[in-house]
């Protein structure tokens, strides 16, 4: 299996997409773990630089009638309504401002890079694998696995 297109060995866009996906997988895999923030930040900002480089070369095309875009704007509308009707609207708006950039950026990367379900499968397996690994680590560290030996007399 070849990672890059051999017909165009110097096609930088394919390389940028490849490394952007790798950094996305690293970022998403590290989300459930607390003590890997530096790895997560390096992956995020590397992905951001590559995304900006790719957008500057190719541009970004967003179809506003796409179901993903409609769902995203619907979610953003509900979030804004909940901020308005919150008992603490200024605190909610501040938290929204601080936390929304990462989610919007990840959404744009996924929308731009994964245009079919086949391309999306490794990302889904990455998410499932990270949470499975976290669950196994919690069970082992907490000693929970030893408590399930009620089958042996």
């Amino acid at each position: 299996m070849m990672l890059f297109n051999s017909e165009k060995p110097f096609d930088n866009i394919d390389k940028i997409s490849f490394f952007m996906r790798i950094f996305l997988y690293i970022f998403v895999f590290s989300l459930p773990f607390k003590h890997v923030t530096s790895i997560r930040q390096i992956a995020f900002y590397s992905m951001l630089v590559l995304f900006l480089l790719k957008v500057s070369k190719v541009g970004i095309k967003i179809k506003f009638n796409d179901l993903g875009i409609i769902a995203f704007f619907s979610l953003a509308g509900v979030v804004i309504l909940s901020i308005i009707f919150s008992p603490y609207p200024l605190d909610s708006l501040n938290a929204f401002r601080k936390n929304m950039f990462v989610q919007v950026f990840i959404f744009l990367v996924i929308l731009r890079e994964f245009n079919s379900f086949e391309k999306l499968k490794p990302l889904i397996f990455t998410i499932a694998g990270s949470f499975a690994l976290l669950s196994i680590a919690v069970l082992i560290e907490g000693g929970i696995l030893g408590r399930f030996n009620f089958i042996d007399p």
Side-chain angles (χ1 to χ4, degrees):
M1 183 172 108
M2 296 188 62
L3 297 177
F4 303 115
N5 189 355
S6 63
E7 295 172 6
K8 299 184 258 180
F10 299 108
D11 189 7
N12 291 332
I13 301 301
D14 287 342
K15 291 177 185 176
I16 290 172
S17 292
F18 174 76
F19 285 111
M20 194 168 20
R21 287 181 187 179
I22 294 297
F23 288 128
L24 178 66
Y25 296 148
I26 292 169
F27 178 80
V28 168
F29 186 83
S30 67
L31 281 175
F33 304 103
K34 284 190 216 178
H35 303 291
V36 291
T37 305
S38 58
I39 294 171
R40 187 180 316 127
Q41 293 296 320
I42 290 170
F44 176 77
Y45 287 113
S46 300
M47 187 174 38
L48 178 65
V49 167
L50 291 174
F51 181 77
L52 293 175
L53 185 66
K54 184 174 181 179
V55 167
S56 70
K57 287 186 176 188
V58 178
I60 188 166
K61 298 172 188 107
I62 297 176
K63 299 176 186 174
F64 288 101
N65 60 354
D66 184 39
L67 289 178
I69 296 291
I70 293 170
F72 179 74
F73 283 126
S74 300
L75 176 65
V78 169
V79 168
I80 290 171
L81 281 175
S82 68
I83 288 172
I84 292 170
F85 294 114
S86 169
Y88 307 103
L90 292 178
D91 293 335
S92 298
L93 186 62
N94 190 26
F96 176 76
R97 179 187 59 82
K98 288 181 180 177
N99 299 322
M100 196 61 184
F101 173 71
V102 174
Q103 284 82 5
V104 169
F105 175 68
I106 296 299
F107 176 75
L108 286 175
V109 168
I110 290 172
L111 189 69
R112 175 89 176 130
E113 293 299 316
F114 300 94
N115 54 7
S116 70
F117 184 70
E118 290 301 317
K119 290 182 179 180
L120 200 59
K121 278 184 181 179
L123 183 63
I124 294 170
F125 290 139
T126 301
I127 294 168
S130 67
F131 281 102
L133 184 65
L134 179 68
S135 299
I136 291 169
V138 166
L139 289 175
I140 290 172
E141 184 177 308
I144 303 272
L145 288 180
R147 295 182 187 150
F148 288 123
N149 61 1
F150 55 87
I151 297 174
D152 295 333

